[in-house]
Amino acid sequence: MKFKQQPDKQILKYIPLGGVGDVTRNMHIYEYGGEILIVDCGIGFPDETMPGVDILIPDISYLQDKKDRIRGLLVTHGHEDHFGAIPYILPKLGKIPVYAAPLVKGFIEAGLKDRANIEDADLRIIDPDGGPFSIGSFEVSPFRVNHSIPDTLGFVIKTPVGRIAHVSDFKFDWTPVDNKPFAVSKLARLTEPGILALFSDCLGSQTAGYTRTEKDIEDSFDRLLDDARGQVLITTISSNISRIEQAIRSSLRHKRKIVLLGRSVTERVFIAEQLGYLNFPKNTFVKPRAAQNIPDNQLTYIVAGCYGQPGSGLWRIADNAHKYVQIKEGATVIFSGDPSPPGVKNNVDAVVSRLTQLGADVHYYEIQENLYVSGHGSQGDLLMLAAMVKPKYFVPIGGGPMHARSYRKMVSQLGIEAERVFELTVGQSLELSQNFARLGKKVSVRNIMVDGYGIGDVGRIVLRDRRALSESGILVVFVQIDSGTGRISGKVEIISRGLVFEKSSRGLLEKFRGIVVSVVEKHKGRRKDLAFMREKIEEELEQYIYDKLGRTPMIIPVLIEV
């Protein structure tokens, strides 16, 4: 069916710059009448094809010439894949208002100060139990949802074309750690006038039933600590305050004090304490240096690095390079974070293997039961939300293509026709009015990589060179060319790193030198064209090395006229 084109001012445009087709890098753009509202601004994780890259952030090219139209940024909760890119992106967008619940605001403040040296950002607190507030022409009503961190919010957003519900990471937990369950009655009131579209978490759409309560984890901690006789290390996401609280409570019941290892864990726990989300006696925590004088069976280490991040506390412990902690035979190490996001599984497996080799008894959520409870709703949770909201249109977010497809099939159980469910890819816009929903133009979105202090300066060519270095090494050739004769002056110097061992491969290196001499002699008539000479040396060496060794190293000819 074809619809008549409507003026833009009567259309709500939705553009995902992240958070669809992928679990991470969540960033959702809502645009109406020239005004823009952003929901979330999170990081992603590099995969094995991105050596040296620290994190990925959303591509905001679409917003660069629209900064004066941005009315605000809403943040749903305090996990890095939903707020962690703010320190990198906010300076590029200007001083726009950022709205977040108290705990999330504390995390954002720390990140801005640490990574962007910003202390005067316009951060505004959302009361999760409060009423609606306006952001430009958008009226936002927050409501509590359950996840694996306190202060997680969903939003009903009233627009001139209708109400939408944005519910990212959620589940229905009737016994959450913070004793604040999903605000079902409030959501029912907010959706009573009718909902145009539901933007719903879909990550659990392939899992039957309902997601278990977070409180089940505490029983697992108790069981494992009952059997532990020496060191205990628990690793989880540093922002997973509920899980950290459970680990602390279980440890205190087992007469163990807490040692925080890793900057991110220490910072987040301190913020949660300051804001009243964690309340424990003052003598609960012990500094890492002081812990060296306390028996192992009286301590629990809560460690950053559950995703195997290089340089994290857990990574250094596994590498036997931590300043204060060395794994002892019989140590208990408990992984209790979410399953590895895309791109980090190899690092996690490497850390688990090294810890095991050091003598630790590693309890890993992929092979041990009850160490992990998802923060995402399963099919039962997702269907319950869909049935409560009863939207006209459905947009699955927060998952990959297979999750979105499963979501479409799942809601068909409610009698929802397939054309009312939109499986979007990153950059694919959706246009909504009171009478229709349709796909709009696709926005170009690319990977923006952060490497150290560099943002977006690592691209395809740099990654290709890094992969070549890591896989086949490098060959540097130094050649002095007589400017008068065009012949080589002196000896050709060759340095090999990661290709062949020089001392045991002198015959091969002499062959390389012979190739260089032959190329220079052959093209001596073009001795002034050093770029041409470099290209020919590289081509000849590359072909010979591939034929002889089956490798493709990076080859760097350095030519000097004398």
Side-chain angles (χ1 to χ4, degrees), residues 195-428:
I195 294 294
L196 178 63
L198 168 62
F199 296 78
S200 169
D201 183 5
C202 69
L203 193 62
S205 61
Q206 296 180 309
T207 305
Y210 292 84
T211 300
R212 293 185 297 128
T213 175
E214 289 287 321
K215 284 200 171 179
D216 287 351
I217 292 290
E218 206 158 324
D219 293 336
S220 299
F221 284 151
D222 284 342
R223 172 175 52 83
L224 293 173
L225 265 62
D226 283 344
D227 296 333
R229 297 292 176 262
Q231 291 173 306
V232 169
L233 289 82
I234 299 175
T235 182
T236 188
I237 308 168
S238 60
S239 58
N240 196 339
I241 297 302
S242 296
R243 193 68 47 81
I244 291 172
E245 180 179 358
Q246 291 174 297
I248 294 173
R249 289 200 304 227
S250 179
S251 297
L252 293 179
R253 284 195 292 272
H254 288 81
K255 306 291 191 272
R256 289 176 177 265
K257 294 185 180 297
I258 304 301
V259 186
L260 302 175
L261 295 178
R263 182 179 179 182
S264 60
V265 165
T266 303
E267 181 182 81
R268 301 286 165 77
V269 169
F270 175 76
I271 291 170
E273 274 196 304
Q274 292 293 103
L275 295 174
Y277 290 85
L278 292 177
N279 295 287
F280 293 103
K282 290 183 178 180
N283 63 352
T284 296
F285 299 97
V286 177
K287 298 287 186 183
R289 185 185 297 275
Q292 295 178 300
N293 301 316
I294 298 175
D296 292 334
N297 62 1
Q298 296 177 22
L299 296 171
T300 293
Y301 294 90
I302 297 179
V303 193
C306 70
Y307 290 155
Q309 303 95 311
S312 66
L314 190 64
W315 177 279
R316 285 182 281 122
I317 290 170
D319 206 30
N320 224 0
H322 198 280
K323 186 176 181 180
Y324 299 114
V325 181
Q326 291 76 43
I327 291 292
K328 299 176 184 177
E329 187 72 33
T332 299
V333 180
I334 302 169
F335 280 74
S336 190
D338 288 1
S340 305
V344 304
K345 187 178 187 303
N346 289 342
N347 281 349
V348 175
D349 289 345
V351 169
V352 170
S353 295
R354 288 202 297 268
L355 290 168
T356 302
Q357 290 169 344
L358 290 171
D361 181 14
V362 183
H363 298 265
Y364 182 30
Y365 42 73
E366 289 196 357
I367 58 175
Q368 297 286 144
E369 292 184 354
N370 299 325
L371 287 176
Y372 159 67
V373 170
S374 178
H376 299 265
S378 301
Q379 291 177 354
D381 304 81
L382 299 176
L383 284 170
M384 181 184 292
L385 179 68
M388 285 179 58
V389 174
K390 297 187 288 292
K392 192 171 183 179
Y393 303 107
F394 296 78
V395 183
I397 61 176
M402 59 183 180
H403 303 112
R405 180 57 52 85
S406 294
Y407 185 91
R408 171 182 276 188
K409 293 178 179 177
M410 180 192 72
V411 295
S412 67
Q413 299 174 37
L414 301 176
I416 306 301
E417 302 88 349
E419 56 267 25
R420 289 169 57 190
V421 184
F422 290 87
E423 303 173 48
L424 302 180
T425 56
V426 174
Q428 174 59 65

Side-chain angles (χ1 to χ4, degrees), residues 38-65:
I38 304 171
V39 179
D40 285 337
C41 184
I43 65 169
F45 300 94
D47 59 32
E48 59 274 6
T49 68
M50 303 175 183
V53 175
D54 297 323
I55 60 171
L56 307 175
I57 61 175
D59 180 2
I60 59 167
S61 301
Y62 175 77
L63 297 173
Q64 288 293 1
D65 62 349

Side-chain angles (χ1 to χ4, degrees), residues 512-552:
F512 295 165
R513 289 189 181 95
I515 291 172
V516 174
V517 171
S518 175
V519 170
V520 174
E521 183 66 24
K522 181 179 178 181
H523 300 287
K524 62 185 177 182
R526 298 187 65 173
R527 59 185 176 274
K528 296 295 184 181
D529 191 350
L530 296 185
F532 173 80
M533 285 287 204
R534 281 194 292 268
E535 182 181 342
K536 290 302 177 183
I537 290 172
E538 186 176 347
E539 285 178 0
E540 293 288 337
L541 284 174
E542 187 177 77
Q543 187 62 53
Y544 178 82
I545 293 170
Y546 183 78
D547 292 342
K548 191 75 174 176
L549 302 175
R551 301 172 191 167
T552 54

Side-chain angles (χ1 to χ4, degrees), residues 15-17 59-63 426-429 441-447:
I15 306 171
L17 299 183
D59 180 2
I60 59 167
S61 301
Y62 175 77
L63 297 173
V426 174
Q428 174 59 65
S429 67
K441 293 181 180 178
K442 188 162 187 178
V443 172
S444 176
V445 178
R446 62 189 180 94
N447 280 333

